[in-house]
Amino acid sequence: MKNKILLYITIISIFSFNTYSQKAKLATADKKYDNYAYVDAIKTYERVAEKGYKSTDLFKKLGNAYYFNAELDKAAKWYGELFAMNTNDLEPEYYYRYAQSLRSIGQNDKANEMLELFNQKLGNDNRGKLFKQNTNYLEAIKANSGRYQVEDAGINSKYSDYGTTVYLNKIVFASARDTGSLGQRKHAWTDQHFTNLYSADLGDNMTPGIPKKFGATINSKFHESTPVFTNDGKTMYFTRNNYLDGKKGKDGNKITLIKIYKASLENDKWTNVTELSFDSNNYSTAHPALSPDGKTLYFASDMPGTLGQSDLFKVKINDDGTFGTPENLGNKINTEGRETFPFVNDENEIYFASDGHPGLGGLDVFVSKINTDGSFSEVQNVGENVNSPKDDFAYLIDTKSRRGFFSSNRDGGQGYDDIYKFLETKRLTCEQLLYGEITDLTTAELLSDAKVTLYDSQFNLVSTTTSDAKGNYSFTVECGKTYNVRAEKPEYTTKEQKITIANDKGKTYLPIALEKGKCKVTIGDDLGKCFGIKMIYFDLDKSNIRTEAALDLEKILDVLNQNPTMKLDIRSHTDSRQTFKYNEALSDRRAKSTINWLIKNGVDSSRLTGKGFGETQLVNKCADGVKCTEEEHQMNRRSEFIITAL
């Protein structure tokens, strides 16, 4: 990011013209401003301001005019004049715009001060909340930076060029380049020619060739931009001013909005241009993007239900070509600012431009993972190289070659907006460390040299490792994904556990305890340890066998059936949290209840003895009067199946 600080010297001069004359000029400029003729208005406002005339309204309009034209360094100057007037009743939005403008000239500390004030004035605004949650956002952006090799795409003109898509090994984009036609129209807002669609063949490394007009039947005398094509290449969605069949539509304020249109390819010509069913004369829809399967259309709009100035929406494309009801992508993606230019790739990632999420200034490019349930993972700034202090948007990437394009009005370009091509040299992923220990279920012994294998949710192999001398293993995993972890070791039963990684950076702990497949026992050993039986569960103050207890006793029963000469002494223990006499009687009843269950299920009574020991054989310090945790008390509540004969 540029680290320049621009110093402005304000010279106070004596008015050399009549105040009435100044106000007359301002009135003329206001009319142009209200009609979105920003370029002419700027000239008038600046001439007036440079002669020393000051007002909050003047500085607001000057700042806004540059802000909305993405010239944030100049916006910073005039917003600075506005805030220098010590006004206390400014709308909160101006604090946010000033902060964005300050970022563009590297004044991040001051920008953060403005965001703090913005958050105080409008505490329920998601942009302020995002800033509060990410006060170290510049460090996060820095960590994501340096991953791209960026260069001019080689197809730019001195006018505006932006918004790319790939179609039949061509790049298709919007351009306001002057074709030399005397009748070429200009947009009063930007003083640029209206944009048409152009294309260029793609060579090696996605290098574009010479641009030429694309789709003569699509281009009109108003704006066309941001096309996207279905997988079969026969349907195109694109953005255009509200203009169809020679008729221009306007909203209630007589402003021509923009809509998404659809066209079909017939006999190598684009025809049947129609607006989409959810378009309207009362709001704009723009910048369509298709899901990889072609069943969902993503787009930007300020339709009812929008959280900010523009939001991202999605809509289902039905099998018959009709559309469902548009759905707002929600506040994980959308803010009170501008979200626009969506792009969805075949790795279920959505890239978009936003000035509402913490960034470097203007529009930045962000990415989020689309989860299987339709929710979104953490939104991340893709970092510098792609992002700059100016507007960066219309990002597109080929997931196989990791090459793509984006648009920007950054310094050093040829025109108003320019198209850049890139190579992503390092993937941006939210990663975690998945780690744990492999232990013996019965003894809690740490197991070295256990084979640990990581599979994805579809059981495709991801990675394999071996536990170290202390039983430790670890894998690097992606946030938000579900994995299966398999641990195996000779003489142990293989175990597999499913784990879903959280959507935040950090660590996930997953210990795995393996059960021995074969258990060698002799006289004096506890048979229960072979199966990890630490206690036979009874209801509180009861001695009847519960379902959970019966399951463990079935294991003991099976061993006794396989070893008809084996004899057991069944011992039941309690913790100290009752009287000595009570615990002794309760444990004795439980031991006898366990013996009776085994006898009832076919074990000869001569093979079984048993006794309750109450609290007389505690395995730790937790005697009467000693403060212990529930876990410590539970260690004393145990059952033992001591082998007395084989």
Side-chain angles (χ1 to χ4, degrees):
M1 186 166 101
K2 295 180 181 174
N3 197 17
K4 284 194 306 192
I5 298 178
L6 302 181
L7 300 178
Y8 296 104
I9 301 175
T10 303
I11 301 176
I12 302 175
S13 60
I14 300 174
F15 289 172
S16 59
F17 54 90
N18 184 275
T19 301
Y20 178 82
S21 174
Q22 297 170 12
K23 291 185 177 179
K25 290 180 180 179
L26 284 174
T28 301
D30 283 348
K31 186 174 291 186
K32 293 174 182 176
Y33 179 94
D34 292 338
N35 288 327
Y36 300 96
Y38 288 162
V39 173
D40 288 341
I42 289 174
K43 293 174 183 176
T44 302
Y45 287 138
E46 279 196 314
R47 283 193 292 268
V48 171
E50 286 168 358
K51 290 182 178 180
Y53 189 83
K54 294 186 178 184
S55 79
T56 57
D57 185 62
L58 172 63
F59 292 141
K60 280 181 182 179
K61 288 178 176 175
L62 264 175
N64 288 347
Y66 279 120
Y67 183 85
F68 295 136
N69 264 333
E71 296 184 66
L72 299 185
D73 52 344
K74 294 178 182 177
K77 172 185 176 180
W78 296 113
Y79 285 144
E81 294 285 358
L82 173 64
F83 278 83
M85 296 187 71
N86 296 319
T87 179
N88 295 317
D89 58 352
L90 281 176
E91 296 91 331
E93 195 66 29
Y94 284 94
Y95 289 84
Y96 189 81
R97 293 175 190 167
Y98 190 27
Q100 290 287 84
S101 303
L102 286 166
R103 284 180 185 168
S104 75
I105 57 174
Q107 294 189 19
N108 292 305
D109 290 342
K110 192 170 182 180
N112 290 343
E113 290 177 17
M114 290 297 111
L115 283 173
E116 286 282 4
L117 293 170
F118 171 76
N119 202 42
Q120 292 173 18
K121 287 180 171 288
L122 203 63
N124 62 344
D125 191 290
N126 199 39
R127 291 168 294 178
K129 292 177 183 177
L130 286 170
F131 170 71
K132 293 291 285 186
Q133 294 166 6
N134 300 278
T135 53
N136 295 323
Y137 68 90
L138 288 175
E139 289 300 315
I141 293 173
K142 183 178 179 181
N144 293 343
S145 299
R147 302 182 302 107
Y148 293 93
Q149 295 176 6
V150 174
E151 59 183 302
D152 186 289
I155 53 175
N156 294 306
S157 67
K158 64 180 182 179
Y159 298 97
S160 184
D161 303 281
Y162 69 95
T164 56
T165 192
V166 174
Y167 169 67
L168 299 180
N169 204 37
K170 299 177 185 289
I171 181 176
V172 186
F173 62 98
S175 178
R177 62 191 63 202
D178 186 3
T179 61
S181 168
L182 293 176
Q184 188 78 4
R185 296 166 58 86
K186 287 188 175 181
H187 196 306
W189 187 334
T190 63
D191 201 31
Q192 295 274 321
H193 295 296
F194 283 90
T195 57
N196 282 160
L197 298 183
Y198 285 75
S199 68
D201 293 333
L202 289 176
D204 294 341
N205 298 327
M206 293 181 72
T207 300
I210 299 173
K212 58 184 179 180
K213 279 279 186 78
F214 176 85
T217 55
I218 295 297
N219 288 324
S220 70
K221 61 181 181 179
F222 292 103
H223 282 298
E224 280 81 32
S225 68
T226 53
V228 66
F229 300 86
T230 54
N231 292 330
D232 62 9
K234 295 181 179 179
T235 302
M236 170 173 58
Y237 299 93
F238 64 99
T239 306
R240 179 196 276 176
N241 283 107
N242 187 356
Y243 181 81
L244 186 63
D245 298 330
K247 297 179 181 179
K248 184 169 67 169
K250 297 184 178 182
D251 68 2
N253 296 317
K254 297 184 178 181
I255 295 173
T256 301
L257 302 177
I258 52 178
K259 293 182 177 181
I260 299 173
Y261 291 86
K262 178 182 178 182
S264 56
L265 186 66
E266 295 182 5
N267 299 319
D268 294 326
K269 290 186 178 181
W270 291 103
T271 185
N272 301 324
V273 176
T274 57
E275 65 177 79
L276 304 190
S277 59
F278 52 84
D279 284 340
S280 171
N281 290 339
N282 298 315
Y283 55 80
S284 288
T285 55
H287 312 316
L290 284 167
S291 60
D293 62 9
K295 295 181 179 180
T296 305
L297 185 75
Y298 294 81
F299 62 96
S301 179
D302 60 352
M303 65 172 56
T306 300
L307 303 178
Q309 297 170 49
S310 65
D311 280 7
L312 298 186
F313 291 79
K314 67 177 180 179
V315 64
K316 181 181 178 182
I317 303 174
N318 300 316
D319 292 339
D320 61 359
T322 60
F323 296 89
T325 302
E327 299 177 42
N328 189 296
L329 296 193
N331 60 13
K332 188 83 174 186
I333 299 293
N334 294 315
T335 69
E336 286 78 358
R338 294 177 294 166
E339 279 69 45
T340 186
F341 291 98
F343 168 74
V344 180
N345 67 18
D346 56 8
E347 294 181 342
N348 288 322
E349 293 174 323
I350 182 169
Y351 289 85
F352 61 97
S354 171
D355 65 3
H357 292 272
L360 298 176
L363 291 170
D364 272 19
V365 176
F366 295 84
V367 63
S368 176
K369 198 82 170 179
I370 305 174
N371 300 317
T372 53
D373 62 357
S375 63
F376 297 94
S377 64
E378 175 191 12
V379 171
Q380 295 191 77
N381 187 301
V382 302
E384 285 185 275
N385 297 116
V386 165
N387 288 324
S388 72
K390 299 296 180 69
D391 280 340
D392 308 287
F393 57 98
Y395 180 101
L396 172 154
I397 188 170
D398 172 64
T399 57
K400 304 300 184 293
S401 66
R402 309 311 296 179
R403 295 183 182 275
F405 300 93
F406 69 93
S407 304
S408 177
N409 68 345
R410 64 187 56 191
D411 295 339
Q414 295 187 43
Y416 187 76
D417 294 305
D418 289 294
I419 297 169
Y420 295 85
K421 67 175 184 176
F422 66 80
L423 170 65
E424 186 187 50
T425 57
K426 180 183 177 183
R427 298 288 299 269
L428 173 63
T429 55
C430 170
E431 293 181 338
Q432 276 205 29
L433 184 71
L434 174 63
Y435 73 105
E437 306 92 26
I438 309 299
T439 59
D440 183 298
L441 176 65
T442 303
T443 65
E445 174 190 357
L446 295 170
L447 300 179
S448 62
D449 298 321
K451 181 182 178 182
V452 189
T453 309
L454 181 71
Y455 298 91
D456 65 16
S457 59
Q458 303 300 312
F459 289 93
N460 297 307
L461 175 65
V462 177
S463 184
T464 300
T465 189
T466 302
S467 60
D468 64 17
K470 295 183 178 180
N472 297 311
Y473 77 92
S474 65
F475 295 105
T476 299
V477 293
E478 291 186 37
C479 304
K481 281 195 172 184
T482 297
Y483 295 91
N484 295 282
V485 182
R486 182 182 298 169
E488 49 193 311
K489 186 176 174 64
E491 299 185 3
Y492 285 86
T493 301
T494 298
K495 187 173 184 179
E496 195 168 79
Q497 288 188 225
K498 184 177 181 180
I499 183 74
T500 298
I501 308 301
N503 277 324
D504 301 314
K505 293 181 179 179
K507 296 181 179 180
T508 297
Y509 179 57
L510 180 65
I512 300 177
L514 295 181
E515 185 177 3
K516 275 200 171 181
K518 293 182 179 179
C519 185
K520 296 179 182 180
V521 292
T522 188
I523 293 173
D525 288 345
D526 182 357
L527 180 60
K529 288 184 177 180
C530 284
F531 305 104
I533 301 172
K534 295 180 179 178
M535 77 186 275
I536 296 296
Y537 287 89
F538 297 86
D539 288 323
L540 183 64
D541 294 336
K542 301 290 180 63
S543 57
N544 53 299
I545 301 296
R546 288 169 49 178
T547 303
E548 301 95 309
L551 177 61
D552 280 335
L553 288 177
E554 285 286 355
K555 300 171 186 176
I556 300 296
L557 176 63
D558 182 75
V559 174
L560 290 173
N561 288 338
Q562 300 304 316
N563 298 273
T565 60
M566 181 181 287
K567 294 183 179 181
L568 296 179
D569 184 43
I570 297 167
R571 303 172 184 178
S572 178
H573 304 268
T574 69
D575 59 36
S576 62
R577 292 182 299 179
Q578 273 288 358
T579 65
F580 181 91
K581 186 176 181 180
Y582 179 89
N583 284 332
E584 185 177 39
L586 177 62
S587 64
D588 197 58
R589 290 198 306 273
R590 287 178 172 175
K592 290 177 180 176
S593 180
T594 301
I595 292 171
N596 289 337
W597 187 94
L598 290 169
I599 292 172
K600 184 179 178 181
N601 283 276
V603 179
D604 191 282
S605 60
S606 64
R607 301 172 62 191
L608 303 171
T609 58
K611 180 182 178 182
F613 289 84
E615 59 182 274
T616 61
Q617 296 184 7
L618 301 177
V619 297
N620 55 26
K621 63 180 181 180
C622 300
D624 290 336
V626 178
K627 187 176 182 180
C628 289
T629 65
E630 181 60 35
E631 290 76 15
E632 289 172 321
H633 281 301
Q634 185 169 313
M635 292 174 66
N636 291 311
R637 299 195 304 272
R638 65 196 190 280
S639 299
E640 296 173 319
F641 299 85
I642 306 300
I643 299 171
T644 58
L646 285 174

